[in-house]
Amino acid sequence: QVQLVESGGGSVQAGRSLRLSCAASGDTASSNCMGWFRQAPGKEREGVATIQTDRGSTRYLDSVKGRFTISQDNAKNTVYLEMNSLKPEDTAMYYCAADQRAGGYCHTWGVKYKYWGQGTQVTVSS
């Protein structure tokens, strides 16, 4: 089992930045995939960014490329999502997720990740 706790959400104006953190505990050694997903009201959940923790490979949603950066601190079992130049359309509940998968399947967002946090709200006003 892996437990995930997100933090760092909040309300900001467009153009500002936020950094989300996801602290993992439990059997973290078995989860080589970690990522951030989001869900806005009335919309389906979508992948935002994922990282294969044992290789460092990443994948980003097209609309956040160049603005968001996913990173990891293995010593702290923590994954971050640095979000810059935020836009109102980034408003959503952001969820941290973890899973164990072979090879590059960390970035296959169509298959649901196994472990999920409770989410942290990000609201961007214009």
Side-chain angles (χ1 to χ4, degrees):
Q1 290 287 332
V2 176
Q3 294 78 44
L4 303 170
V5 178
E6 304 99 333
S7 61
S11 297
V12 297
Q13 289 188 321
R16 302 298 293 271
S17 300
L18 283 173
R19 187 176 80 156
L20 305 183
S21 299
C22 173
S25 60
D27 189 15
T28 57
S30 68
S31 296
N32 64 323
C33 307
M34 292 193 72
W36 292 92
F37 296 77
R38 69 186 183 187
Q39 187 166 21
K43 295 187 177 181
E44 293 188 353
R45 183 172 53 201
E46 62 181 355
V48 177
T50 46
I51 185 167
Q52 185 176 345
T53 59
D54 51 355
R55 300 194 66 176
S57 65
T58 58
R59 177 190 174 187
Y60 293 91
L61 180 68
D62 284 347
S63 63
V64 308
K65 286 181 181 177
R67 300 189 297 122
F68 291 12
T69 303
I70 188 170
S71 62
Q72 62 187 50
D73 184 333
N74 291 334
K76 296 182 179 180
N77 289 325
T78 300
V79 171
Y80 303 97
L81 185 67
E82 184 74 35
M83 306 185 294
N84 299 317
S85 301
L86 282 162
K87 302 177 180 180
E89 50 263 43
D90 295 318
T91 295
M93 184 70 79
Y94 283 71
Y95 297 91
C96 178
D99 201 351
Q100 182 180 24
R101 299 183 178 184
Y105 289 101
C106 292
H107 309 311
T108 302
W109 295 347
V111 178
K112 185 179 179 181
Y113 268 44
K114 183 174 182 179
Y115 302 107
W116 292 84
Q118 293 300 306
T120 185
Q121 178 69 37
V122 172
T123 302
V124 184
S125 59
S126 58

